[in-house]
Amino acid sequence: MRSAVAAALLLGGVGVGPSDAAPADAPATAAAGAFWVDPQSSAARQAAEWRRAGRADDARLIERIAVQPQAVWLHGDGAGAVVRAHVEAAAKAGRTAVLVAYFIPHRDCGAYSAGGARDAAQYRRWIEDFASGLGTGGAYVIVEPDAVAQLVAGCPRADAAERYGLLTHAVQRLKRQPNTKVYVDAGNAGWIPDERRLVAPLGKAGIAGADGFALNTSNYQTTAASTAYAHRLAKELGGGKHFVIDTSRNGNGPFQGPQSWCNPPGRALGTPPTTETGDPALDAYLWIKRPGESDGTCRGGPRAGQWWPEYALGLARRAQG
């Protein structure tokens, strides 16, 4: 069972003017807490488009996504400039950006989100560029969704020793930037059910130098199941490691059927991002996966990472509250 991460489109590639941002009567962003809300997200643009088209009810539903902070995925050349732009925008708003480093060689083992750096040398240069963009402003950085769990589950395309070395390098380089919190992705509670199988791999991936690990990226496991799993994993790692949980689409829990990770029907938005978790080891609930972006070309979806308004609308409509 895989997490079906899908790289988000780089925001810098789409020009959106102030008139296309979320409307003035959109819900307040107070629930976002410490994290930055991108006013030019696909959800914000969709809400504006539907309002212009007279679809006010649908626009209000999509604003449930637009007003929440979501991670920015970096997966191509020029990462430093994009990172810098988002970190600076977040700082001006008094918030913190959430970023995802997603460029490991043989990414996604050739599946829907295949790609990544062509070799280790390019990846090291890319991480240097990424880290330089952080400056001193700080951010939450999720390091390489799926990369560790795929090695545990089996990824013949990837050289394990090389990948672990690159992950360790990424953690160490990113942690040199002041105020940056770094979390190594550890899959989800349904993928590697025995958390003990992740202990040695995470050690090889540099978890000792990170702030902790991330769980449930792009998946649908419940917050309760993810939290319990995270505490067991943290204990197996020796205690002391914190974690973050992706709650972006877990409002109805996992789909009980085939391809449960890929655009499953009937899912819903989960707990909004916040650092107020009530659990001292749980640093934040985050929307790492951007709700409404496809997991891949399954169930009629567009390619991985592409905005899918109909799916987004369903997530928002079924959300609680």
Side-chain angles (χ1 to χ4, degrees):
M1 180 177 183
R2 56 193 296 279
S3 73
V5 294
L9 291 173
L10 290 182
L11 186 63
V14 182
V16 181
S19 63
D20 291 319
D25 60 344
T29 59
F35 302 113
W36 179 64
V37 178
D38 179 1
Q40 299 182 11
S41 68
S42 295
R45 295 196 300 272
Q46 189 69 69
E49 178 183 327
W50 280 348
R51 280 186 177 275
R52 289 192 297 269
R55 296 177 59 177
D57 289 344
D58 288 344
R60 280 192 290 271
L61 284 171
I62 288 298
E63 282 160 4
R64 292 185 176 185
I65 298 173
V67 300
Q68 297 297 343
Q70 301 158 53
V72 177
W73 293 63
L74 286 304
H75 53 86
D77 293 336
V82 180
V83 168
R84 187 174 299 107
H86 285 285
V87 170
E88 290 178 354
K92 288 179 181 178
R95 302 287 180 91
T96 300
V98 180
L99 308 170
V100 179
Y102 193 52
F103 199 56
I104 200 79
H106 304 292
R107 187 180 64 206
D108 203 25
C109 290
Y112 286 129
S113 295
R118 62 179 174 271
D119 55 30
Q122 184 187 20
Y123 186 77
R124 287 174 180 271
R125 291 193 298 272
W126 186 84
I127 282 293
E128 179 64 34
D129 189 35
F130 187 117
S132 67
L134 291 167
T136 60
Y140 278 47
V141 181
I142 312 303
V143 175
E144 299 298 341
D146 282 359
V148 172
Q150 281 182 334
L151 287 178
V152 176
C155 181
R157 293 170 179 262
D159 181 298
E162 176 186 86
R163 177 169 288 191
Y164 287 134
L166 292 176
L167 291 169
T168 297
H169 173 74
V171 170
Q172 293 174 345
R173 180 62 189 88
L174 293 167
K175 281 302 295 178
R176 283 166 49 192
Q177 301 305 124
N179 307 310
T180 296
K181 295 176 76 70
V182 176
Y183 300 89
V184 179
D185 189 80
N188 64 73
W191 192 358
I192 311 293
D194 182 357
E195 66 281 351
R196 292 170 297 183
R197 294 180 62 200
L198 284 165
V199 174
L202 285 171
K204 295 176 185 177
I207 190 70
D211 293 277
F213 55 89
L215 281 181
N216 204 47
T217 300
S218 298
N219 208 266
Y220 303 83
Q221 302 298 313
T222 66
T223 301
S226 297
T227 302
Y229 184 91
H231 277 290
R232 295 196 303 271
L233 178 55
K235 181 178 179 180
E236 292 294 336
L237 287 168
K241 283 300 175 188
H242 288 209
F243 51 90
V244 294
I245 295 174
D246 185 354
T247 57
S248 58
R249 305 182 299 178
N250 73 347
N252 284 344
F255 175 65
Q256 302 302 320
Q259 281 194 304
S260 60
W261 52 268
C262 194
N263 301 324
R267 301 311 93 197
L269 301 175
T271 302
T274 181
T275 56
E276 297 178 3
T277 67
D279 183 332
L282 176 49
D283 288 347
Y285 298 126
L286 300 174
W287 283 10
I288 301 173
K289 170 69 177 184
R290 298 169 77 90
E293 292 185 355
S294 177
D295 293 321
T297 54
C298 55
R299 295 189 168 94
R303 64 185 179 86
Q306 295 296 301
W307 173 248
W308 189 4
E310 294 81 8
Y311 197 82
L313 191 61
L315 291 171
R317 181 176 289 118
R318 289 184 290 268
Q320 299 297 314

